[in-house]
Amino acid sequence: MPQQSPLDVPEGDPFGPHNLPYGVFSTAGEERRRIGVRIGGHVLDAGAAAVALGSPYAGLLGQPSLNPLLAAGRTAWRDVRRALTAWVTDPGHRPTVEPHLLPLDEVTLHLPYEVADYVDFYASEHHATNVGRMFRPDGDALTPNWKHLPIGYHGRSGTIVVSGTDVVRPSGQRKAPTDPAPVFGPSVKLDIEAEVGFVVGAPSELGSPVPLGAFEDHVFGLFLLNDWSARDIQAWEYVPLGPFLGKSFATSVSAWVTPLEALDAARVAPPARDFPLLPYLDDSAVDRPGGFDLHITVSVNGQEVARPPFATMYWTAAQQLAHMTVNGASLRTGDVFGSGTVSGPEVAQRGSLLELTWNGRDAIELADGKRTFLEDGDTVTLTAWAPGPDGTRVGLGEVTGRIVPAAPAAQ
């Protein structure tokens, strides 16, 4: 019996030719970084295949980073995706393409783009309501501005790391309400935030806001993101200016970027709005719904603890981009923005341990013991899928990270 081709992806595989996410990889035999496209359990060396096929896209795909492709713009993104789809589905291309396929377990995956700026939002009404009820039990759960604009903050782009990178437990100042003074030491409330990230391709000019309708002209694709959070450090430092050291130590992102075009079948309308929106945020008459029906799973040490639904997010990525630029702020190729913690209305749909344990009050049961927050050695993994064409599923690349002990304090 002839050996099955890696291009004969089993029916139902979430990484079939309907998906084709982009990444960057190297091999033990050649450390040079190359653009790869995932197909089933293999990676296509996209640049080498482009050269072998005499493709006009060899220059874009023969790079050590996705940034040149990101900067090329929407027409190039569409045309390159069509070419790649033909390469992995047309039987006539198989003899040329197959030599450039490598098993996933034989490559090392890297951060696939050079990150420019990083912005994180707070777009889940369920998450924001839970946090408000925890920390403002006698007041309104949501702040007065929450339903009028997508709240966000600028993060630290230099500590965005690719999936599989260990996360060093951060140290900093913390102070419990009953403590007379702050103390310094490793965080004892280390948490996760299950999020979806978006990466900007085409830049914009300083002083020119990006309207809702231009979202797909600027955003290349999306991926899973875990915005690790030291809740005790954050609680002491964030008044009045917001997140800083409690967030900036690490943000983990998937090694695979799913192009927006692969998620056409996953588009859904966001939740109904409770208040009229200002014109630049009003998406009631957009051509396509701005939500994405992504089904996320959060696991700790291999055990599922939550299933946050991205379809419940109040603010869409297009609204976040419009708000992020409405003051004239420019976009740069490689800008990343995160959705904020994804949480649904049910307890089992909460995307952070802060919510799942209600700030440590209710421990969750794992096979290796109870948890309120993360312990050294814990490994957190986010996975997700979305509806694809003709009843298929589109898989998102996982994002995983293991907690290692805090570094020794500087003297």
Side-chain angles (χ1 to χ4, degrees):
M1 176 179 287
Q3 185 177 6
Q4 185 180 29
S5 168
L7 295 175
D8 292 324
V9 179
E11 185 176 355
D13 192 309
F15 291 96
H18 60 288
N19 189 345
L20 302 181
Y22 293 87
V24 167
F25 74 97
S26 63
T27 63
E30 186 177 357
E31 295 184 359
R32 176 176 60 91
R33 296 188 180 189
R34 291 163 274 172
I35 292 176
V37 174
R38 182 169 175 177
I39 176 76
H42 286 72
V43 179
L44 174 65
D45 185 334
V51 170
L53 290 163
S55 169
Y57 308 116
L60 285 177
L61 294 173
Q63 301 289 332
S65 164
L66 289 179
N67 283 58
L69 176 61
L70 299 182
R74 187 177 180 183
T75 299
W77 306 339
R78 179 199 63 202
D79 293 346
V80 170
R81 178 172 170 79
R82 287 178 179 174
L84 287 164
T85 303
W87 299 351
V88 300
T89 58
D90 186 340
H93 290 315
R94 285 196 171 192
T96 307
V97 171
E98 286 178 345
H100 303 293
L101 289 162
L102 299 93
L104 265 174
D105 59 6
E106 294 182 8
V107 305
T108 299
L109 298 173
H110 304 280
L111 189 63
Y113 39 78
E114 298 168 21
V115 181
D117 288 317
Y118 170 48
V119 173
D120 193 40
F121 284 94
Y122 190 49
S124 165
E125 180 177 2
H126 302 292
H127 172 67
T129 298
N130 286 335
V131 172
R133 286 173 177 164
M134 259 183 264
F135 297 114
R136 294 185 298 275
D138 299 323
D140 293 334
L142 296 178
T143 53
N145 60 349
W146 200 92
K147 290 200 171 179
H148 295 278
L149 57 86
I151 295 173
Y153 71 93
H154 282 270
R156 184 179 175 89
S157 60
T159 49
I160 291 181
V161 296
V162 73
S163 174
T165 304
D166 285 345
V167 175
V168 177
R169 181 178 296 275
S171 293
Q173 289 192 29
R174 59 182 194 269
K175 180 184 178 299
T178 56
D179 291 342
V183 297
F184 178 87
S187 170
V188 296
K189 287 189 173 183
L190 186 54
D191 198 1
I192 64 166
E193 288 190 347
E195 302 191 23
V196 174
F198 296 82
V199 63
V200 169
S204 66
E205 293 185 5
L206 184 66
S208 300
V210 176
L212 286 172
F215 171 73
E216 292 176 65
D217 294 327
H218 291 276
V219 173
F220 176 78
L222 58 76
F223 47 88
L224 291 174
L225 181 152
N226 185 351
D227 197 28
W228 307 89
S229 300
R231 301 297 184 185
D232 43 356
I233 296 173
Q234 181 182 3
W236 174 235
E237 73 177 2
Y238 85 119
V239 179
L241 289 182
F244 188 40
L245 300 183
K247 294 278 194 176
S248 62
F249 57 96
T251 299
S252 295
V253 298
S254 172
W256 298 104
V257 180
T258 302
L260 293 184
E261 195 173 350
L263 294 165
D264 284 347
R267 294 282 192 144
V268 292
R273 313 299 184 188
D274 297 312
F275 296 92
L277 299 177
L278 292 171
Y280 79 97
L281 292 173
D282 185 0
D283 59 356
S284 60
V286 295
D287 293 336
R288 293 205 294 170
F292 292 92
D293 185 18
L294 311 180
H295 301 251
I296 303 170
T297 298
V298 181
S299 298
V300 179
N301 300 336
Q303 183 174 330
E304 180 182 311
V305 298
R307 291 192 176 186
F310 193 67
T312 63
M313 299 295 275
Y314 191 88
W315 295 105
T316 70
Q319 288 172 319
Q320 291 166 352
L321 190 75
H323 185 66
M324 191 163 70
T325 61
V326 74
N327 67 343
S330 57
L331 297 175
R332 294 193 291 169
T333 298
D335 280 352
V336 167
F337 62 102
S339 63
T341 305
V342 182
S343 291
E346 307 298 329
V347 172
Q349 296 176 329
R350 295 172 179 173
S352 67
L353 294 176
L354 177 71
E355 296 167 89
L356 286 168
T357 70
W358 210 251
N359 197 22
R361 184 192 68 189
D362 307 317
I364 58 174
E365 295 278 356
L366 298 180
D368 58 350
K370 294 182 178 182
R371 293 290 189 282
T372 51
F373 293 95
L374 295 173
E375 297 182 1
D376 291 347
D378 285 345
T379 296
V380 179
T381 302
L382 310 182
T383 57
W385 64 272
D390 304 318
T392 59
R393 287 187 174 187
V394 175
L396 272 64
E398 72 172 31
V399 57
T400 187
R402 178 174 64 106
I403 304 302
V404 298
Q411 299 299 317

